[in-house]
Amino acid sequence: MEISDLVEQTVATWSAERPDIDFTAMSTALKVNLLVTKQLEITNQHMLSLGVTLGEFDVLATLRRHGKNGVLMPTEIAVFAMITPSGLTNRLSRLEKMGHIVRLSDPNDRRISLVRITAKGRRIADLGIEFAAQHSTDILDGVKPADLAAFSRVIDQLIRNVEDQTPTSARTGALRK
């Protein structure tokens, strides 16, 4: 089923069940969610063809774009890749086994561990980012520059709105009592 058809059907069935609710904003949010989900599926499939998951690619890309000589501390990788340290540990282990990274001790402080991208990992990061950049360009093909600028401003506002909201658990806690 096409994304637009799925959204239209979802909104139509909900509107029939709950005519008291305005689903206009939800329709737009659903379109964005489905678009992002589809884009991530396509990108993940490409990364798998390179031998890594999308999450593993994120680690390689973080090392490639941030690390001087591709070297960072695991805590820095977690921050830049927006993942938890525990989630990072498994990725680092898999990437190390594949030869995409090496773990080192900091020469100035042996208690600090460092992660360095290898030449093999750098090639995967470069191939992955080339695909991701081209895929993004392809998705936006035909969108007028002015429309794209307006869309970017809207997305920025949506991000601010989400960041400003009270966590869902705090708002729904009263409903569970």
Side-chain angles (χ1 to χ4, degrees):
M1 181 178 287
E2 297 292 322
I3 291 173
S4 57
D5 294 337
L6 180 60
V7 171
E8 187 177 310
Q9 182 184 32
T10 300
V11 171
T13 54
W14 268 118
S15 294
E17 288 296 316
R18 293 293 309 268
D20 57 311
I21 298 175
D22 179 3
F23 290 102
T24 306
M26 186 178 130
S27 173
T28 301
L30 220 89
K31 288 175 188 176
V32 171
N33 288 339
L34 290 169
L35 180 64
V36 168
T37 298
K38 185 66 174 171
Q39 187 270 344
L40 288 174
E41 286 173 10
I42 291 167
T43 303
N44 188 51
Q45 285 302 309
H46 183 76
M47 296 310 158
L48 290 172
S49 78
L50 297 175
V52 296
T53 65
L54 186 55
E56 291 162 351
F57 165 74
D58 282 343
V59 172
L60 293 175
T62 297
L63 285 165
R64 178 74 170 97
R65 69 188 169 98
H66 279 100
K68 182 178 180 185
N69 299 319
V71 177
L72 289 172
M73 292 186 299
T75 53
E76 294 172 312
I77 297 169
V79 169
F80 292 140
M82 297 181 286
I83 57 175
T84 63
S86 60
L88 178 63
T89 301
N90 290 330
R91 291 179 192 179
L92 291 178
S93 295
R94 290 190 305 268
L95 289 168
E96 186 175 36
K97 286 178 187 171
M98 290 185 274
H100 297 310
I101 63 158
V102 291
R103 295 189 216 201
L104 313 162
S105 294
D106 185 326
N108 301 318
D109 186 345
R110 291 247 182 239
R111 295 170 297 168
I112 298 173
S113 70
L114 300 171
V115 179
R116 186 185 72 205
I117 192 169
T118 64
K120 184 178 177 183
R122 182 174 314 236
R123 279 191 300 278
I124 296 298
D126 286 345
L127 289 170
I129 200 62
E130 288 166 13
F131 174 82
Q134 184 59 53
H135 181 60
S136 296
T137 298
D138 294 345
I139 288 172
L140 297 171
D141 186 42
V143 178
K144 295 175 188 171
D147 291 341
L148 187 55
F151 181 65
S152 185
R153 285 190 302 275
V154 169
I155 294 295
D156 289 343
Q157 181 61 53
L158 294 174
I159 290 168
R160 285 190 297 276
N161 292 352
V162 167
E163 289 174 343
D164 291 345
Q165 284 185 349
T166 305
T168 303
S169 60
R171 287 182 309 200
T172 60
L175 297 176
R176 285 185 248 148
K177 291 182 180 177

